[in-house]
Amino acid sequence: MITESLARRRTTIAFAFLRNPFRILSFIAGIPSRVRQISRARFRTGQLILRSPRTRWGCSHSSASGHAAEPDADWQTERPRPPRLTSKNRPEPDVEAELGAGSPGIDGADRVRMLAMSRRALSFGVVAEAYERFRLGYPVELFDLVMTYAGRPVRTALEIGAGTGKATRLFAQRGVTVTATEPDGAMLAELRKHVAADVKTVHAAFEDVRPGERYGLVYAAAALHWTNPEGRWSRMAALLEPGGVFASFGGPLQLADAAVEEAVRAARAPFLESDDVPSPDGTPPGHDMQWPGTELQRSEWFADVRQSVIVRRATMSAHDYVGHLSTISAYLELPTPEREQAFSRIMRVLPETVEIAADITVHLARRRCEQ
C-alpha cells in the first residue's frame, strides 16, 4: 500500500510538472529565500544555529557584565550586518544627508558640529609632509599597555584614520599584521613611504570599510573623533573578533609653561579662539571618564572599558612648535593670509625652545563575547 501511494504521488508530481513546469521551477527557486526567512525568524526569537561545540579561547568565561559567553565564530548566529557602504553609495562627506533632519538624538547644534568635523577631517592632505615631520610618534609603552590589556597574542589589527602611519609603525614593527585605512589620498601616499611592504593600506573612511574579515585589535590614533557617530560602535564590533580589543588614543600637545601658553593664546585670539577639538559628546574636561570611554560604557557591544594616561614631556624649537600648529585642523581652516599672520604673531612671543606636555590618553574596551 505504501509503495502504491508513493508511486501515485510521483505520477501526480510528474503530471503537474508536464502541465505547468514553470510553476514547479519557480517553487524550487524560491526555496533559498524561504530558508533565509526561517533563519531570520529564528534569530529574532533568540534561537542559535549551532555548527560546532568549540568556543573561542578568551571568550569561554563570562564577560565583565556577567552575561553568558558568546560562542566561537563557528557557532554561527544569523546576525544582522551593518549596511555595506562604499564611495559609490555613500555621499562623502555629506553628513547632513547621511544623518537626515529627523535623526533621533541629534539636534541642530550637533548636526552643525558634525558637518564642521567632516570638513576638518579631510583637511590634512595639503600638509601631509609637515604632518609626518612635526607630529610626535607613539612610545613603546603604548604598545605594551594595549597588549597587556588584551591578555593574549594579537596577530591582526585594523587601523582607523592612519594618517601618515605614526601608530601604524608602532604595531607593525612589533609583529602585528596591520591593515591601515585612511580617507585622504595624500596622507595615505605619505604613509606608504614610511611603512614596510607587508602593511596593507586601504583608501577608505571608517564608514566605508566593509565588514568581513575580523581582527584581534581595531584602533584609532587621534582619529576616532572624525568618524560618524551613527552606528559607530556596531560597525566597530562587526570588525572585531569576539573578545577582541578596541583602542583609541591621543591627546593635545600643550605648552608646559602657563605664561607662554597664555602669550600664544593672546597672539592667536584675533584669528582663532581655540585650536582644540571639542569632545564629540560634550563631556567636560574634568570628568573622570573622557570620550570615547563615555560612549563605550553605554554601548551594548563593549565591556571592561578602561582609561589610562601615558605621561609624556618633550622639548621643541619654536620653529617646530609652529610647524606642529600648521598641521592642526583649526588653523588649516583659516584663510591663508590669516593663518600666516597668526603663525607670525605666535613666533614673536615664543622663546627659542619650548617645553611640551604631550600626554596620551588611552581608552581600551573589549568586544563582548555574547551578542
Side-chain angles (χ1 to χ4, degrees):
M1 292 293 292
I2 293 174
T3 304
E4 272 185 38
S5 175
L6 287 172
R8 221 179 282 118
R9 286 182 187 175
R10 288 179 187 142
T11 303
T12 303
I13 291 170
F15 276 118
F17 180 77
L18 291 171
R19 290 174 60 189
N20 195 345
F22 297 106
R23 185 175 180 183
I24 299 294
L25 291 173
S26 71
F27 173 79
I28 294 170
I31 288 174
S33 65
R34 278 186 280 277
V35 170
R36 285 197 298 272
Q37 289 169 5
I38 292 167
S39 297
R40 281 195 285 270
R42 285 180 181 171
F43 172 74
R44 284 195 293 270
T45 57
Q47 296 179 30
L48 291 174
I49 303 168
L50 304 182
R51 290 185 185 172
S52 165
R54 293 173 295 143
T55 56
R56 182 179 297 279
W57 180 80
C59 283
S60 58
H61 59 277
S62 295
S63 73
S65 64
H67 295 271
E70 183 185 47
D72 179 73
D74 288 336
W75 284 39
Q76 292 291 329
T77 62
E78 287 281 338
R79 67 183 72 209
R81 290 183 177 274
R84 291 188 172 185
L85 302 176
T86 68
S87 55
K88 292 182 179 179
N89 66 9
R90 176 181 178 272
E92 178 64 39
D94 191 354
V95 179
E96 181 76 25
E98 188 166 306
L99 295 178
S103 297
I106 298 175
D107 59 23
D110 286 337
R111 192 170 295 107
V112 168
R113 184 169 65 250
M114 282 184 279
L115 284 166
M117 294 281 270
S118 267
R119 287 193 299 270
R120 290 173 71 171
L122 296 173
S123 65
F124 298 105
V126 294
V127 292
E129 290 185 7
Y131 194 105
E132 173 59 29
R133 177 180 173 185
F134 296 115
R135 289 281 182 123
L136 297 180
Y138 292 96
V140 68
E141 289 84 358
L142 173 61
F143 177 84
D144 293 340
L145 180 66
V146 174
M147 294 302 120
T148 300
Y149 174 86
R152 64 183 185 183
V154 174
R155 296 181 175 85
T156 60
L158 177 73
E159 182 174 6
I160 299 163
T164 62
K166 298 283 187 177
T168 316
R169 281 162 268 180
L170 176 71
F171 289 93
Q173 290 171 0
R174 288 163 179 80
V176 180
T177 301
V178 178
T179 298
T181 68
E182 168 57 45
D184 191 302
M187 295 289 275
L188 197 62
E190 186 67 26
L191 177 148
R192 289 178 178 133
K193 299 177 187 177
H194 305 286
V195 300
D198 60 351
V199 171
K200 181 181 178 182
T201 57
V202 180
H203 186 192
F206 167 60
E207 295 78 10
D208 295 331
V209 177
R210 294 186 177 187
E213 181 178 355
R214 291 195 175 193
Y215 301 86
L217 169 68
V218 176
Y219 68 92
L224 188 69
H225 51 284
W226 303 127
T227 62
N228 187 345
E230 285 289 292
R232 178 188 284 138
W233 300 116
S234 59
R235 278 197 185 97
M236 204 74 71
L239 295 165
L240 275 168
E241 299 170 354
V245 173
F246 168 75
S248 175
F249 43 87
L253 187 147
Q254 298 174 320
L255 292 161
D257 188 315
V260 177
E261 175 68 33
E262 177 56 29
V264 169
R265 189 203 63 76
R268 72 161 185 258
F271 313 100
L272 195 62
E273 182 180 349
S274 171
D275 57 11
D276 292 337
V277 175
S279 171
D281 69 351
T283 303
H287 199 275
D288 288 342
M289 178 63 75
Q290 289 295 302
W291 185 91
T294 46
E295 284 188 7
L296 285 162
Q297 287 179 326
R298 297 190 296 267
S299 171
E300 64 180 311
W301 299 96
F302 291 90
D304 193 18
V305 180
R306 299 186 195 178
Q307 175 177 290
S308 304
V309 176
I310 298 173
V311 176
R312 185 168 58 164
R313 298 291 180 268
T315 301
M316 302 177 79
S317 69
H319 176 268
D320 284 358
Y321 175 72
V322 173
H324 172 85
L325 295 182
S326 75
T327 70
I328 292 177
S329 58
Y331 291 97
L332 291 171
E333 288 214 304
L334 292 174
T336 301
E338 292 184 15
R339 184 166 64 247
E340 290 176 352
Q341 288 182 59
F343 291 154
S344 178
R345 287 169 61 98
I346 290 169
M347 276 294 293
R348 287 200 294 269
V349 302
L350 288 173
E352 189 174 338
T353 60
V354 292
E355 296 297 318
I356 298 298
D359 296 350
I360 304 169
T361 301
V362 185
H363 289 95
L364 297 164
R366 202 177 305 279
R367 201 270 202 212
R368 289 187 186 274
C369 291
E370 81 289 347
Q371 279 301 330

